[in-house]
Amino acid sequence: MTSPTRIGIHDLAVATAGHVLDLDDLAAATGVDPGKFHIGLGQDQMSVPGPDEDIVTMGATAAQQIIARHGVDRIRTVFFATESGVDQSKSAGVWLHELLGLPSTSRVVELKQACYSATAALQAAAGLVARETDTQVLVVASDIARYDLDSAAEPTQGAGAVALLVSADPALAELEPVAGLHTAHVDDFWRPNDSVTAVVDGKLSIDAYLDGFVAAWDDYRTRGGVDIDEIDLFTHHQPFTRMAAKAHRRLAEHTGAELPAERYERSTVYNRRIGNSYTASLYLGLAALLDGDDDLTGRRIGLFSYGSGSVSEFFTVVVQPGYRDHTRASETAAALAARTPMDVAAYRALHAGAHLGSRVDVEIPAQSPWPFHFAGVSGRARQYSA
Ligand code: CAA
C-alpha cells in the first residue's frame, strides 16, 4: 500500500503596510499609560497603510516572494482571504492574479468570515491538492484592521498579509488531517457594508474567542486529535498579542495540563509590531515560530483560528526536516524595518482619508516602498500599478 501524500505549507511569506506608528506616541497623545498597550494588550507598534496601499498590494507583495522562488506553473487556484474586501463583487484575488502574472488557467475566489477565512482557504487548498497532487494552491490572507479613533480598540489596529503556497511534499509544515470546529452566532465584531471601521463589543469578543477555543479543542479531541502533551508549541489568532496569553491560559485550565508560556510566546513577535492583521494574524504567528532560533524539526504546532461572528478551528501541523532552508526571517525583518515611522497627526490624517468612494476619478501617486501600488479609481474601477 502506498503511503498517503503529505500535504501542507510549502512556503510562507509576509508583507505589511508602509508606515508604522509607535504605540508610545499614541499613548502620549491619548493620555493613556503606555503599560496598558505594551503589557495589557501586548502591542508595541501598528502598521498603517498609505493611500497607495490596500489588501491587494500587501497580498501581492507577500505572494510575489513565493512566485520568485517557485514560479507560477503549478498554481491552479488562488484563495484570497480577507475581512477588508475592496469590492462587493470582484475577488481581490483577480487583481492580484493580474499583478503577479498568474496563469489564466486558474480559479480565483475571495473568502470571508472575519479573521477566520484563511484557515478555511488552507483546508480547502489541501483538499484540492489531494485531488491533483501535481498542482499547488496560493492562499493569500491580507487585511487592514481599522477601528474608530479614540475607541478602546484603536491601539489594536494594524495591517499585514501572508501568502502560503500549499502543495504535496511541503518544505515547511505538513497539515495533519484532524480539525476541531465550532460555529456560533454572536454579535461580537462585524463591519456593516457602509462602514470602513469595525463595530466591536470588546469584552464579548474576548469571551466569544475563548469559548470558541475550548469548543474547537473539544471537537478536535472528539475527532481523534492528539493529546495536549503531544503538541509542542501553539500559535493563536492574535487580535492583540495578550489574547494569545489569555487563550493559552484558558486551554491549560480546560485541560488541566501544564502549559508554560514558552510554548506560545515566540509566536507573538511579528504581531506585536504589526498589530491586528485579521486573517493574516494566525499565520504571522506561525511564521514567527518558524523564524525563531530553536530548531523545530519534527515538532507539532497547534493552531487556533478565530473569526468573530463566530467561527473557530483548531488544527495541527508538523514541522518538516530541512524547513530552515526555506524560511524568510530576513525578508520579514527587512519589511518591518522598511516602514516609515509616522506621528499621531499623520496617522490620524490617513485614518480619516481611508474611505475613498468610487464616484469621482482619482489618481494616487506611488509612494510605498513595495512593488505594487493602488493607483486610484477610473470609471468607478480600481486601478493598480506595478
Ligand atoms: N499597565 C499594564 N496593564 C494595564 C494597564 C497598565 N497601565 N492598564 C490597563 N492594563 C490592562 C488591564 O488590566 C487589562 O488586562 P486584562 O485583560 O488582564 O484584564 C488590559 O490592560 C486591557 O485593559 P482594558 O480591559 O481596560 O482595555 P479596554 O477595555 O480599553 O480595551 C479591548 C481592550 C476590549 C481588547 C479593546 O482593545 C478592543 O475592543 N479590541 C478589539 C476587539 C478585540 O480585539 N477582541 C479580541 C477577540 S475578537 C477577535 O479576536 C477577532 C478580531 O481580530 C477582532
Side-chain angles (χ1 to χ4, degrees):
M1 199 172 102
T2 54
S3 56
T5 308
R6 292 179 308 108
I7 296 169
I9 301 170
H10 193 49
D11 199 356
L12 167 54
V14 167
T16 189
H19 298 87
V20 59
L21 178 69
D22 199 299
L23 291 193
D24 281 337
D25 295 340
L26 186 63
T30 52
V32 172
D33 180 337
K36 176 171 178 180
F37 297 163
H38 295 300
I39 301 163
L41 297 176
Q43 291 304 127
D44 299 331
Q45 299 178 329
M46 63 166 81
S47 288
V48 181
D52 65 329
E53 297 179 88
D54 67 7
I55 56 162
V56 174
T57 63
M58 288 193 300
T61 300
Q64 191 196 40
Q65 301 170 61
I66 284 181
I67 282 160
R69 193 182 274 177
H70 302 280
V72 298
D73 295 350
R74 292 172 61 191
I75 297 174
R76 283 181 59 80
T77 301
V78 178
F79 287 138
F80 198 114
T82 189
E83 183 272 1
S84 14
V86 292
D87 192 273
Q88 297 281 18
S89 170
K90 184 171 180 171
S91 166
V94 172
W95 282 291
L96 175 139
H97 175 276
E98 165 81 3
L99 288 170
L100 296 176
L102 289 162
S104 58
T105 48
S106 330
R107 59 170 78 83
V108 180
V109 70
E110 184 172 307
L111 292 88
K112 176 170 68 182
Q113 174 40 49
C115 311
Y116 164 73
S117 62
T119 300
L122 176 61
Q123 297 289 11
L128 287 173
V129 172
R131 211 167 64 173
E132 289 184 289
T133 52
D134 60 332
T135 65
Q136 299 175 324
V137 177
L138 180 63
V139 173
V140 176
S142 183
D143 266 309
I144 298 167
R146 262 194 207 101
Y147 298 101
D148 288 343
L149 297 179
D150 298 315
S151 67
E154 183 181 13
T156 70
Q157 296 175 116
V162 296
L164 307 165
L165 189 64
V166 180
S167 78
D169 300 321
L172 294 180
E174 179 183 354
L175 186 61
E176 296 195 292
V178 181
L181 306 174
H182 181 71
T183 290
H185 180 267
V186 51
D187 287 331
D188 62 331
F189 163 107
W190 67 100
R191 190 163 62 80
N193 279 347
D194 58 356
S195 180
V196 289
T197 53
V199 182
V200 61
D201 180 336
K203 302 296 179 202
L204 177 64
S205 73
I206 291 171
D207 288 344
Y209 176 119
L210 294 173
D211 291 348
F213 188 18
V214 294
W217 169 260
D218 287 346
D219 185 51
Y220 171 77
R221 291 289 285 148
T222 303
R223 303 282 299 178
V226 300
D227 188 76
I228 193 142
D229 296 334
E230 294 176 57
I231 301 175
D232 301 299
L233 293 161
F234 293 84
T235 183
H236 317 78
H237 170 54
Q238 294 168 33
F240 52 97
T241 70
R242 181 96 190 295
M243 192 68 224
K246 290 177 188 286
H248 203 66
R249 193 170 60 228
R250 174 63 75 87
L251 190 62
E253 287 164 6
H254 184 68
T255 59
E258 285 273 325
L259 290 181
E262 300 86 74
R263 285 168 72 177
Y264 79 91
E265 256 174 351
R266 163 76 209 181
S267 75
T268 63
V269 298
Y270 294 150
N271 286 302
R272 283 191 83 92
R273 298 180 62 192
I274 287 174
N276 199 351
S277 57
Y278 293 160
T279 52
S281 157
L282 173 64
Y283 299 95
L284 288 171
L286 178 62
L289 286 177
L290 296 176
D291 290 348
D293 290 338
D294 291 347
D295 182 357
L296 304 186
T297 303
R299 310 284 290 277
R300 177 179 282 118
I301 302 175
L303 294 94
F304 175 59
S305 185
Y306 177 74
S308 289
S310 67
V311 179
S312 301
E313 179 161 345
F314 183 84
F315 64 103
T316 56
V317 299
V318 176
V319 181
Q320 297 300 290
Y323 79 97
R324 286 180 130 174
D325 297 334
H326 306 274
T327 51
R328 297 175 177 278
S330 55
E331 288 97 322
T332 300
L336 290 167
R339 296 175 298 173
T340 305
M342 69 191 328
D343 62 20
V344 172
Y347 141 70
R348 292 202 157 180
L350 277 180
H351 190 285
H355 181 58
L356 183 69
S358 69
R359 293 186 185 275
V360 178
D361 284 2
V362 57
E363 280 183 40
I364 295 177
Q367 50 197 275
S368 82
W370 322 122
F372 305 105
H373 306 275
F374 171 54
V377 174
S378 174
R380 303 204 70 183
R382 293 177 81 82
Q383 309 297 317
Y384 290 87
S385 65

